[in-house]
Amino acid sequence: MRWIRRNLVVVAGLLTLAYMILPNIVVMVFSFNKPNGRFNYAWQRFSLDAWKDPCGVADMCESLSLSLQLATWATLGAVALGTMIAFALVRYRFRARGAINSLIFLPMAMPEVVMAASLLTLFLNMGIELGFWTVLIAHIMFCLSFVVTAVKARVMSMDPRLEEAARDLYAGPVQTFVRVTLPIAAPGIAAGALLAFALSFDDFIITNFNAGSTVTFPMFVWGSAQRGTPVQINVIGTAMFIIAVLVVVAGQIITNRRKKSATS
């Protein structure tokens, strides 16, 4: 009992982590499966066939490429707009600032199906053809709130005296922003970018309403599940999971090295 009391937080954290990672482990294991039928729901035998030919399913890699393009452009757009909005909300005082702060959280609190239907109505009333661009606009709008929240939290913790010191040393506004402000805000911007990319790549509801004939990877997975689940879907999911883990680990290593170099 004493050991449990001393390590209760650690045990709870490990159990929570295991609960979150378990579905990814299942996806990873079944990426090496060779099912007898169309459905990859029961383990049959070990095979590397799906890993040798990840694009063996028709149109899957095309939908994956489209999702990666959408996620990349949506991340760039959301980060550019979200960073400017976050700085404006923290650094400046203007009318309706409180209302804008509240409105920023609406896309995060609103059910996705409501936003998807609203955007679809807007596009149809404006006579805009559904496709890549409507999905991109919808993804930027959806990801914007998350980027603003992440960057805003970082900007609020910044010490303004650092920028004042840079100006006292005759640094111009652009030089102060590039060499002082931006590096300090970079962790918040990076966190918002990673979150926006993941949300855009993974989104199904908003995309399904506004995609028209465009098929992204989540839509392809949903369609495939109706008639059979190819093992290649597990391969792509495993690869994306491993890449995400490597990015997080690399970022943590870089952060730790910077802290050590700063203290030494």
Side-chain angles (χ1 to χ4, degrees), residues 17 33 49 72 78 96 116 120 184 208 215 247 254 257:
L17 185 62
N33 186 29
D49 293 345
T72 301
L120 175 62
I184 297 176
N208 191 40
V215 179
V247 169
I254 293 173
R257 286 183 177 178

Side-chain angles (χ1 to χ4, degrees), residues 49-221:
D49 293 345
W51 283 93
K52 294 177 182 178
D53 188 18
C55 294
V57 181
D59 300 329
M60 190 183 73
C61 283
E62 288 78 4
S63 63
L64 175 63
S65 175
L66 180 62
S67 287
L68 291 174
Q69 293 178 45
L70 280 169
T72 301
W73 287 111
T75 300
L76 293 175
V79 167
L81 294 174
T83 301
M84 291 188 289
I85 293 173
F87 272 95
L89 291 175
V90 174
R91 295 293 181 85
Y92 298 96
R93 299 292 182 268
F94 51 88
R95 291 182 179 180
R97 177 171 172 266
I100 294 176
N101 263 316
S102 301
L103 290 173
I104 287 296
F105 289 95
L106 276 182
M108 300 172 62
M110 183 185 302
E112 284 191 44
V113 66
V114 176
M115 180 183 293
S118 301
L119 287 170
L120 175 62
T121 303
L122 175 65
F123 292 140
L124 292 178
N125 287 332
M126 295 179 64
I128 300 176
E129 183 180 357
L130 300 180
F132 178 87
W133 294 107
T134 55
V135 175
L136 179 60
I137 293 171
H139 282 201
I140 292 175
M141 181 179 178
F142 173 65
C143 297
L144 190 59
S145 298
F146 296 91
V147 176
V148 172
T149 303
V151 178
K152 183 182 173 185
R154 182 64 179 177
V155 175
M156 290 178 67
S157 65
M158 291 172 57
D159 189 352
R161 291 176 295 182
L162 296 174
E163 296 171 297
E164 294 174 2
R167 288 192 291 267
D168 290 340
L169 295 173
Y170 304 103
V174 177
Q175 192 175 14
T176 301
F177 179 79
V178 172
R179 296 196 173 186
V180 179
T181 308
L182 190 59
I184 297 176
I189 297 174
L194 291 174
L195 187 58
F197 186 90
L199 290 170
S200 176
F201 181 85
D202 189 54
D203 181 76
F204 172 77
I205 298 177
I206 295 177
T207 305
N208 191 40
F209 271 75
N210 299 279
S213 60
T214 303
V215 179
T216 61
F217 185 68
M219 294 176 65
F220 176 85
V221 173

